[in-house]
Amino acid sequence: MEPATRESSLTLERGLALLQAVADSDTGAPSISDLATAIGASRAAVYRLLVPLQARGLVLRDGSKVRLGLGVLQLAAKVVPQLRNAATPPLRELAEGVGATAHLTVAEGHEAQAVAVIEPSWTTYHVAYRVGTRHPVTRGAGGKAMSLPPGGPEWVDSTGELQPGAYGVAAPVRGVPGLRASVGVISMEPLDQTVVGPLVVAAAAAVAQALS
């Protein structure tokens, strides 16, 4: 690697580390000194690294304090469409194969939100599950699946926790850094876990692969 290229790579890495340090700060607005300590750089280096981040609205400075800027929200807004695009083919195959509404659910703090929903095309009736639907991560198969530990159960089921008479089976999406999510199906008829469980696990793995 050429010296100039190597220097640019190191600068980018330190800039990203700085942005992460701002995001991870317990105070919400760390000082320049706090950030210098966090990334192992001098205060002068932190000031230099902040310039391009400020120019793109990713951080804001208030004196010696630094906080995340609205540019981060603009970037975050691009994530959901990408998740939806990646998840659509596996969800469609799952919905058609099971004959139940399939969904990709993502954790946002203590809530779970459905960001992609595919309904089967051939059933007489099925659950209408809206994109944007929220519920606690501790309820419903889609929420509970996110807490399944590696090496433990591959999927989780629920009955009537979010909607009376509704049955759900979901599996976590694993291997995507920074993403807590699950893939599941919801039906008004009981679901045979021995059949549906492995299909949900396979769909979750396909979503993870599409996002990798």
Side-chain angles (χ1 to χ4, degrees):
M1 183 182 294
E2 295 295 330
T5 303
R6 182 166 56 250
E7 182 177 350
S8 297
S9 177
L10 290 173
T11 300
L12 175 60
E13 184 176 344
R14 295 177 83 183
L16 292 174
L18 178 61
L19 185 61
Q20 187 67 57
V22 175
D24 290 344
S25 174
D26 293 332
T27 65
S31 67
I32 299 295
S33 296
D34 292 334
L35 294 172
T37 300
I39 69 170
S42 66
R43 286 167 52 90
V46 170
Y47 279 114
R48 288 195 299 272
L49 292 169
L50 284 174
V51 172
L53 296 178
Q54 287 180 263
R56 289 162 176 77
L58 298 177
V59 299
L60 295 174
R61 276 186 55 199
D62 182 8
S64 65
K65 297 291 187 179
V66 182
R67 59 186 175 85
L68 293 178
L70 294 179
V72 174
L73 292 178
Q74 295 173 349
L75 288 177
K78 304 294 185 181
V79 173
V80 171
Q82 293 183 25
L83 290 175
R84 190 174 294 127
N85 289 338
T88 293
L91 289 183
R92 189 173 303 283
E93 182 176 351
L94 179 62
E96 298 294 348
V98 176
T101 300
H103 58 87
L104 171 67
T105 299
V106 174
E108 291 187 359
H110 298 295
E111 287 190 317
Q113 178 181 7
V115 299
V117 175
I118 298 294
E119 299 175 357
S121 63
W122 57 269
T123 55
T124 303
Y125 63 90
H126 50 261
V127 175
Y129 193 51
R130 298 193 311 273
V131 169
T133 298
R134 291 176 177 269
H135 58 83
V137 294
T138 55
R139 295 183 60 80
K144 291 180 175 179
M146 299 179 198
S147 298
L148 290 178
E154 293 185 282
W155 67 82
V156 65
D157 71 298
S158 65
T159 302
E161 292 190 15
L162 301 178
Q163 183 176 340
Y167 300 85
V169 176
V173 176
R174 301 192 189 277
V176 182
L179 179 68
R180 288 183 62 207
S182 67
V183 166
V185 290
I186 184 170
S187 171
M188 297 306 293
E189 297 288 340
L191 297 166
D192 185 347
Q193 290 189 53
T194 61
V195 175
V196 176
L199 294 176
V200 170
V201 171
V207 170
Q209 183 176 12
L211 292 171
S212 300

